[in-house]
Amino acid sequence: MAHDFPLFGDPSRDPSGGPHGPGRHSREAVLTAVEARLLTTFGEPSGRAAVTFLGTDRIEVLRFGPDAGGLVRYATLGMAATPMADPTAAVADPVRGPRAELVLTVRGGRDDVLRTMATFAATPQVEGLVVAPGGSLDLGSPLWEGAPFTSVLAAEPGGLVADLELDEPAEPVRFLPLLPMTPNEAGFKRVHGAAALEERWLQHGTDLRDPRRRAVPLD
């Protein structure tokens, strides 16, 4: 993995964005619209970083906050540049297909989560995976240093950041909240499904933004 960091705390970046193809569905056009939607929703970022994995396009992670409640949000910028392709399709459509970015909310912030966010955002390019609500992404190690979570559940979009409509025939960009899961919670989700795990969280009033929360009772 290669990385370049105008690290968190330095929200500036090269405005050119690098070489992109022309057109309303170009990488540059889509990501400009995505960034505008994030800024309209959360305000100016308090920091940003960029990561480039071998053989993939650049992924940025923007940090917003902390807000008045101490919440820090990390949002990816780059995953939606191209649609996610069905891994069984013979040829990937360059315009049609689902597009998404990821948003993680952590009380107090954990800036070392940027690598995790970039890793998850690069998954469609690296593994041909379509990330959708109800699906999970497993890092196989703590999401940030000392975290009790090793994976996340992709939740339903629209509640935090509204879908971004693109010119047809492109599908809207959806902003998927990521909900950290402990290994036991991830195992429960695999057996019983995302809805059952979310119901457990709801029953116990689980604060999914707490970076030190304990696993929800699963018995």
Side-chain angles (χ1 to χ4, degrees), residues 47-68:
R48 66 197 305 154
V51 179
T52 304
F53 299 95
L54 182 64
T56 69
D57 293 324
R58 171 188 174 106
I59 300 289
E60 290 191 78
V61 182
L62 280 60
R63 181 187 65 194
F64 298 92
D67 63 12

Side-chain angles (χ1 to χ4, degrees), residues 9 13 74 78 165 202:
R13 68 175 178 128
Y74 301 91
E165 298 292 335
L202 184 62

